[in-house]
Amino acid sequence: MQGAVATLPDNIKTAVRNSGGGHYNHCMFWTVMGGVGTANAAPFGDLKEKIDSTFGALDEMKKLFNTAAATRFGSGWAWLCVAEDKSLYITSTPNQDNPLMTGMVDKPGTPILGLDVWEHAYYLKYRNLRADYIAAFWNVVNWDKVVENYESALSGGTAVFDVPLA
C-alpha cells in the first residue's frame, strides 16, 4: 500500500499517506531498536560489507545518517535504504512519508533502518537537543533486525515487522 500512495484516489490519498505512513514508519522504528546488549551492536555479514563499500566505514555511514536526521526541517524521518539497484543510500522524508512512497518522495527505495525525528520522539528526555537524541539512537539499534530487513530488501521484500500491519 505504501508504494501505491501516489496512485490512490484523491479522497483517500492524504489519509493513507499520513496515517498509513505513520503506522508503517513507527512499526519499523520500534522493531529496529532493542535493549542494550540484546542484539549485535554493529552490522555484520553482507550488510557490513555493503556499508563499508558504500560509505567507507560504519562511522562514516552514521555521520551521513545523523546529518540527514539533524537537518530534516520540522518533523520527519531519517532512513538507511536499499535502492532498486541494490545500492545503499541515506535520505530523510518529511512528516509521515517514507521511501516506499514512489511518486511522493525524492528518492524511492526500501527502508531498512529508520529514525523518528518528530519532536514527540525525543522532547521529554532531550528537549530541543535533537543531536543528542540522534547520537543516543545508535546505542539501541538492533542490527540483527536491520540485517534481516536488508536481506528482505535484497530479495524484493520490505522490512520484516514483529507487529501486525493490519
Side-chain angles (χ1 to χ4, degrees):
M1 176 71 69
Q2 293 295 292
V5 169
T7 65
L8 294 173
D10 288 340
N11 66 326
I12 64 168
K13 186 183 300 185
T14 299
V16 173
R17 183 179 189 179
N18 292 335
S19 299
H23 180 74
Y24 180 91
N25 298 353
H26 284 92
C27 285
M28 171 175 278
F29 180 60
W30 294 117
T31 61
V32 297
M33 292 188 294
V36 176
T38 63
N40 278 295
F44 55 91
D46 292 341
L47 178 58
K48 180 190 180 329
E49 291 176 20
K50 191 68 166 180
I51 287 171
D52 290 346
S53 68
T54 302
F55 303 105
L58 177 60
D59 285 342
E60 293 304 312
M61 188 229 43
K62 286 181 180 180
K63 286 179 190 174
L64 293 170
F65 188 96
N66 292 357
T67 298
T71 59
R72 167 49 54 195
F73 179 77
S75 301
W77 295 80
W79 306 99
L80 174 63
C81 301
V82 177
E84 189 174 326
D85 67 1
K86 311 296 186 208
S87 63
L88 289 178
Y89 70 94
I90 293 168
T91 192
S92 70
T93 56
N95 304 315
Q96 296 296 11
D97 291 357
N98 65 58
L100 292 173
M101 295 178 177
T102 302
M104 308 289 286
V105 295
D106 293 335
K107 186 164 185 180
T110 303
I112 62 172
L113 175 68
L115 175 62
D116 184 347
V117 292
W118 283 66
E119 279 190 344
H120 70 243
Y122 62 87
Y123 196 81
L124 289 177
K125 183 170 183 173
Y126 295 96
R127 298 285 180 204
N128 63 338
L129 304 175
R130 185 187 278 191
D132 291 353
Y133 160 73
I134 295 165
F137 174 66
W138 298 109
N139 296 324
V140 296
V141 170
N142 178 345
W143 286 105
D144 296 339
K145 180 55 72 176
V146 180
V147 166
E148 183 180 11
N149 291 344
Y150 177 65
E151 291 169 352
S152 177
L154 290 180
S155 65
T158 60
V160 179
F161 298 134
D162 297 326
V163 295
L165 287 176

Short mmCIF file of all heavy atoms in Angstrom, two decimals, residues 29 33 36 115-140:
data_model
loop_
_atom_site.label_atom_id
_atom_site.label_comp_id
_atom_site.label_asym_id
_atom_site.label_seq_id
_atom_site.Cartn_x
_atom_site.Cartn_y
_atom_site.Cartn_z
N PHE A 29 10.33 1.69 13.26
CA PHE A 29 11.10 2.34 14.32
C PHE A 29 11.18 1.46 15.57
O PHE A 29 12.26 1.27 16.12
CB PHE A 29 10.43 3.69 14.63
CG PHE A 29 11.09 4.51 15.69
CD1 PHE A 29 12.40 4.93 15.56
CD2 PHE A 29 10.39 4.90 16.82
CE1 PHE A 29 13.01 5.73 16.52
CE2 PHE A 29 10.97 5.70 17.79
CZ PHE A 29 12.29 6.10 17.64
N MET A 33 14.86 -1.23 17.16
CA MET A 33 15.52 -0.90 18.42
C MET A 33 15.42 -2.09 19.36
O MET A 33 14.47 -2.87 19.31
CB MET A 33 14.87 0.32 19.08
CG MET A 33 15.09 1.60 18.33
SD MET A 33 14.51 3.05 19.23
CE MET A 33 12.75 2.78 19.27
N VAL A 36 20.02 -2.45 25.20
CA VAL A 36 21.48 -2.58 25.13
C VAL A 36 21.87 -4.00 25.51
O VAL A 36 21.41 -4.54 26.50
CB VAL A 36 22.16 -1.55 26.07
CG1 VAL A 36 23.66 -1.74 26.08
CG2 VAL A 36 21.81 -0.13 25.64
N LEU A 115 14.70 6.41 11.67
CA LEU A 115 14.73 7.16 12.93
C LEU A 115 13.68 8.26 12.88
O LEU A 115 13.67 9.09 11.98
CB LEU A 115 16.11 7.76 13.17
CG LEU A 115 16.24 8.67 14.40
CD1 LEU A 115 15.96 7.90 15.69
CD2 LEU A 115 17.63 9.30 14.44
N ASP A 116 12.82 8.27 13.87
CA ASP A 116 11.77 9.26 14.03
C ASP A 116 12.39 10.55 14.56
O ASP A 116 12.97 10.56 15.65
CB ASP A 116 10.75 8.71 15.03
CG ASP A 116 9.53 9.57 15.24
OD1 ASP A 116 9.54 10.75 14.81
OD2 ASP A 116 8.57 9.07 15.84
N VAL A 117 12.30 11.63 13.80
CA VAL A 117 12.82 12.91 14.29
C VAL A 117 11.69 13.92 14.49
O VAL A 117 11.91 15.13 14.48
CB VAL A 117 13.96 13.49 13.41
CG1 VAL A 117 15.19 12.61 13.51
CG2 VAL A 117 13.55 13.67 11.96
N TRP A 118 10.49 13.43 14.74
CA TRP A 118 9.42 14.29 15.22
C TRP A 118 9.75 14.63 16.67
O TRP A 118 10.29 13.80 17.42
CB TRP A 118 8.08 13.54 15.19
CG TRP A 118 7.44 13.40 13.85
CD1 TRP A 118 7.91 12.68 12.79
CD2 TRP A 118 6.20 13.95 13.45
NE1 TRP A 118 7.03 12.76 11.75
CE2 TRP A 118 5.96 13.53 12.13
CE3 TRP A 118 5.25 14.75 14.08
CZ2 TRP A 118 4.82 13.90 11.43
CZ3 TRP A 118 4.11 15.10 13.38
CH2 TRP A 118 3.91 14.68 12.06
N GLU A 119 9.42 15.83 17.11
CA GLU A 119 9.73 16.21 18.49
C GLU A 119 9.12 15.27 19.52
O GLU A 119 9.70 15.06 20.58
CB GLU A 119 9.26 17.65 18.77
CG GLU A 119 10.22 18.68 18.27
CD GLU A 119 9.87 20.07 18.75
OE1 GLU A 119 8.74 20.31 19.22
OE2 GLU A 119 10.76 20.93 18.67
N HIS A 120 7.96 14.67 19.22
CA HIS A 120 7.35 13.77 20.20
C HIS A 120 8.24 12.59 20.52
O HIS A 120 8.09 11.97 21.57
CB HIS A 120 5.96 13.29 19.74
CG HIS A 120 6.00 12.34 18.58
ND1 HIS A 120 5.42 12.65 17.38
CD2 HIS A 120 6.53 11.11 18.42
CE1 HIS A 120 5.59 11.64 16.55
NE2 HIS A 120 6.27 10.69 17.16
N ALA A 121 9.15 12.26 19.63
CA ALA A 121 10.04 11.11 19.84
C ALA A 121 11.13 11.40 20.86
O ALA A 121 11.67 10.47 21.47
CB ALA A 121 10.67 10.69 18.51
N TYR A 122 11.47 12.64 21.05
CA TYR A 122 12.63 12.94 21.90
C TYR A 122 12.46 14.08 22.90
O TYR A 122 13.28 14.25 23.79
CB TYR A 122 13.87 13.23 21.04
CG TYR A 122 13.77 14.41 20.11
CD1 TYR A 122 14.10 15.69 20.54
CD2 TYR A 122 13.35 14.25 18.79
CE1 TYR A 122 14.02 16.77 19.68
CE2 TYR A 122 13.28 15.33 17.94
CZ TYR A 122 13.61 16.59 18.38
OH TYR A 122 13.53 17.66 17.54
N TYR A 123 11.40 14.84 22.81
CA TYR A 123 11.34 16.09 23.57
C TYR A 123 11.32 15.88 25.09
O TYR A 123 11.95 16.64 25.82
CB TYR A 123 10.14 16.94 23.15
CG TYR A 123 10.28 18.36 23.65
CD1 TYR A 123 11.08 19.26 22.95
CD2 TYR A 123 9.67 18.78 24.82
CE1 TYR A 123 11.25 20.56 23.41
CE2 TYR A 123 9.84 20.07 25.29
CZ TYR A 123 10.63 20.95 24.58
OH TYR A 123 10.81 22.22 25.03
N LEU A 124 10.63 14.87 25.60
CA LEU A 124 10.56 14.69 27.05
C LEU A 124 11.93 14.45 27.68
O LEU A 124 12.22 14.96 28.76
CB LEU A 124 9.62 13.53 27.41
CG LEU A 124 8.14 13.81 27.18
CD1 LEU A 124 7.31 12.58 27.50
CD2 LEU A 124 7.66 15.00 28.01
N LYS A 125 12.78 13.71 27.00
CA LYS A 125 14.11 13.42 27.54
C LYS A 125 15.17 14.40 27.05
O LYS A 125 16.04 14.80 27.81
CB LYS A 125 14.53 12.00 27.20
CG LYS A 125 15.86 11.61 27.81
CD LYS A 125 16.17 10.15 27.68
CE LYS A 125 17.47 9.84 28.38
NZ LYS A 125 17.73 8.42 28.43
N TYR A 126 15.10 14.78 25.78
CA TYR A 126 16.19 15.55 25.18
C TYR A 126 15.83 17.02 24.93
O TYR A 126 16.69 17.77 24.47
CB TYR A 126 16.62 14.90 23.86
CG TYR A 126 17.22 13.54 24.09
CD1 TYR A 126 16.46 12.38 23.97
CD2 TYR A 126 18.55 13.41 24.45
CE1 TYR A 126 17.02 11.14 24.20
CE2 TYR A 126 19.12 12.17 24.69
CZ TYR A 126 18.34 11.04 24.56
OH TYR A 126 18.89 9.81 24.79
N ARG A 127 14.58 17.41 25.21
CA ARG A 127 14.11 18.77 24.95
C ARG A 127 14.40 19.15 23.50
O ARG A 127 14.00 18.44 22.61
CB ARG A 127 14.74 19.77 25.94
CG ARG A 127 14.38 19.50 27.36
CD ARG A 127 12.97 19.93 27.62
NE ARG A 127 12.64 19.65 29.02
CZ ARG A 127 11.43 19.48 29.42
NH1 ARG A 127 10.43 19.55 28.57
NH2 ARG A 127 11.17 19.22 30.68
N ASN A 128 15.12 20.21 23.27
CA ASN A 128 15.40 20.64 21.90
C ASN A 128 16.77 20.15 21.42
O ASN A 128 17.29 20.65 20.44
CB ASN A 128 15.32 22.17 21.79
CG ASN A 128 16.37 22.85 22.66
OD1 ASN A 128 16.86 22.26 23.62
ND2 ASN A 128 16.69 24.09 22.34
N LEU A 129 17.32 19.17 22.08
CA LEU A 129 18.66 18.66 21.73
C LEU A 129 18.54 17.45 20.81
O LEU A 129 18.89 16.32 21.16
CB LEU A 129 19.44 18.33 23.01
CG LEU A 129 19.57 19.49 24.00
CD1 LEU A 129 20.25 19.04 25.27
CD2 LEU A 129 20.32 20.65 23.36
N ARG A 130 18.05 17.69 19.61
CA ARG A 130 17.86 16.61 18.64
C ARG A 130 19.15 15.83 18.39
O ARG A 130 19.13 14.61 18.27
CB ARG A 130 17.31 17.16 17.33
CG ARG A 130 16.98 16.07 16.32
CD ARG A 130 16.58 16.61 14.97
NE ARG A 130 15.19 17.00 14.93
CZ ARG A 130 14.54 17.30 13.80
NH1 ARG A 130 15.18 17.28 12.64
NH2 ARG A 130 13.28 17.66 13.82
N ALA A 131 20.28 16.51 18.31
CA ALA A 131 21.55 15.84 18.03
C ALA A 131 21.90 14.83 19.12
O ALA A 131 22.44 13.75 18.82
CB ALA A 131 22.67 16.86 17.87
N ASP A 132 21.59 15.13 20.38
CA ASP A 132 21.85 14.18 21.47
C ASP A 132 20.97 12.94 21.33
O ASP A 132 21.41 11.82 21.56
CB ASP A 132 21.61 14.84 22.83
CG ASP A 132 22.65 15.90 23.16
OD1 ASP A 132 23.63 16.05 22.40
OD2 ASP A 132 22.46 16.58 24.18
N TYR A 133 19.71 13.15 20.97
CA TYR A 133 18.79 12.04 20.73
C TYR A 133 19.29 11.15 19.58
O TYR A 133 19.29 9.92 19.68
CB TYR A 133 17.41 12.62 20.41
CG TYR A 133 16.45 11.71 19.71
CD1 TYR A 133 15.84 10.64 20.36
CD2 TYR A 133 16.12 11.93 18.36
CE1 TYR A 133 14.93 9.82 19.71
CE2 TYR A 133 15.20 11.12 17.71
CZ TYR A 133 14.62 10.06 18.38
OH TYR A 133 13.72 9.26 17.72
N ILE A 134 19.73 11.79 18.51
CA ILE A 134 20.24 11.03 17.36
C ILE A 134 21.46 10.21 17.76
O ILE A 134 21.57 9.03 17.42
CB ILE A 134 20.56 11.98 16.19
CG1 ILE A 134 19.28 12.65 15.68
CG2 ILE A 134 21.29 11.26 15.07
CD1 ILE A 134 19.51 13.86 14.79
N ALA A 135 22.38 10.81 18.50
CA ALA A 135 23.59 10.09 18.94
C ALA A 135 23.21 8.91 19.83
O ALA A 135 23.80 7.82 19.71
CB ALA A 135 24.52 11.04 19.67
N ALA A 136 22.24 9.08 20.71
CA ALA A 136 21.82 8.00 21.62
C ALA A 136 21.14 6.85 20.87
O ALA A 136 21.19 5.70 21.32
CB ALA A 136 20.90 8.56 22.69
N PHE A 137 20.53 7.14 19.74
CA PHE A 137 19.85 6.11 18.95
C PHE A 137 20.78 4.95 18.62
O PHE A 137 20.38 3.79 18.67
CB PHE A 137 19.29 6.74 17.67
CG PHE A 137 18.69 5.78 16.70
CD1 PHE A 137 17.54 5.08 17.01
CD2 PHE A 137 19.25 5.58 15.43
CE1 PHE A 137 16.95 4.20 16.10
CE2 PHE A 137 18.68 4.71 14.52
CZ PHE A 137 17.53 4.02 14.85
N TRP A 138 22.04 5.25 18.32
CA TRP A 138 22.97 4.20 17.93
C TRP A 138 23.25 3.20 19.05
O TRP A 138 23.70 2.09 18.79
CB TRP A 138 24.27 4.81 17.39
CG TRP A 138 24.00 5.63 16.17
CD1 TRP A 138 24.05 6.99 16.05
CD2 TRP A 138 23.58 5.14 14.89
NE1 TRP A 138 23.70 7.37 14.78
CE2 TRP A 138 23.41 6.25 14.05
CE3 TRP A 138 23.34 3.86 14.38
CZ2 TRP A 138 23.00 6.13 12.72
CZ3 TRP A 138 22.94 3.75 13.05
CH2 TRP A 138 22.77 4.86 12.24
N ASN A 139 22.94 3.56 20.29
CA ASN A 139 23.13 2.64 21.41
C ASN A 139 22.06 1.56 21.48
O ASN A 139 22.23 0.57 22.19
CB ASN A 139 23.13 3.42 22.74
CG ASN A 139 24.29 4.37 22.84
OD1 ASN A 139 25.38 4.10 22.38
ND2 ASN A 139 24.02 5.52 23.43
N VAL A 140 20.95 1.77 20.77
CA VAL A 140 19.85 0.82 20.85
C VAL A 140 19.46 0.22 19.49
O VAL A 140 18.48 -0.51 19.41
CB VAL A 140 18.60 1.44 21.52
CG1 VAL A 140 18.91 1.80 22.97
CG2 VAL A 140 18.10 2.65 20.76
#
